[in-house]
Amino acid sequence: MKRIAGILSLFLLFTACGKQENFVPDFPVNFSAPLTDPNISRLSTPGGAVSFNNYGVAGIIIYRRADNQYVAYDRCSTVNPEQKNAVVLDDPALTATDPVSGAKYSLYDGSPVKAPAKTSLKRYNAYVAGNTLYVKN
């Protein structure tokens, strides 16, 4: 019985340590801007989106949803994330597209909406305190 338990444990150990597909690595993000900052003026109305290159793995996208909640994602595509391909905002700003693979992601929740994407964009915490928008992880 102990031998079976040992074999089962080894099997679980080796299968649990497999490479996770479409994994975007953790990267420190600490963005803040006053809501009056012209660089984020597109966020003044629901459906607005902005992107920045100097944060996260491949930059960040901040989107203001119709319910007035802000969401933020890493721009790194989950299709071959080791290549660090940055998704770009579509017009209108409802989706973002990986220009290399053609994958599309919803800005509402970061979920994939067009193959070959299978995994959502990496999400960061976005919130407003006082008159300042923060994006952190």
Side-chain angles (χ1 to χ4, degrees):
M1 186 67 172
K2 286 183 181 181
R3 186 173 194 183
I4 293 173
I7 292 171
L8 182 59
S9 295
L10 283 174
F11 174 75
L12 290 174
L13 177 68
F14 287 116
T15 58
C17 294
K19 180 183 174 190
Q20 182 179 356
E21 284 187 45
N22 304 325
F23 177 73
V24 176
D26 289 330
F27 199 88
V29 173
N30 190 9
F31 171 89
S32 65
L35 292 174
T36 56
D37 185 330
N39 292 319
I40 63 169
S41 63
R42 287 189 226 138
L43 298 176
S44 63
T45 58
V50 294
S51 65
F52 297 96
N53 294 327
N54 301 329
Y55 302 91
V57 174
I60 59 172
I61 290 176
I62 307 168
Y63 177 70
R64 185 171 177 184
R65 298 187 332 189
D67 61 3
N68 287 318
Q69 296 295 313
Y70 294 91
V71 290
Y73 310 101
D74 201 292
R75 291 183 61 202
C76 185
S77 174
T78 60
V79 177
N80 302 316
E82 66 281 356
Q83 295 177 4
K84 299 180 181 175
N85 297 325
V87 298
V88 293
L89 292 171
D90 295 330
D91 187 24
L94 300 173
T95 56
T97 301
D98 176 348
V100 176
S101 71
K104 281 191 182 287
Y105 302 88
S106 166
L107 293 180
Y108 185 82
D109 60 3
S111 63
V113 295
K114 181 181 175 198
K118 297 178 184 175
T119 306
S120 296
L121 293 171
K122 183 178 191 76
R123 189 165 176 173
Y124 296 117
N125 296 318
Y127 61 94
V128 173
N131 193 35
T132 304
L133 173 64
Y134 295 94
V135 176
K136 298 182 179 205
N137 60 343

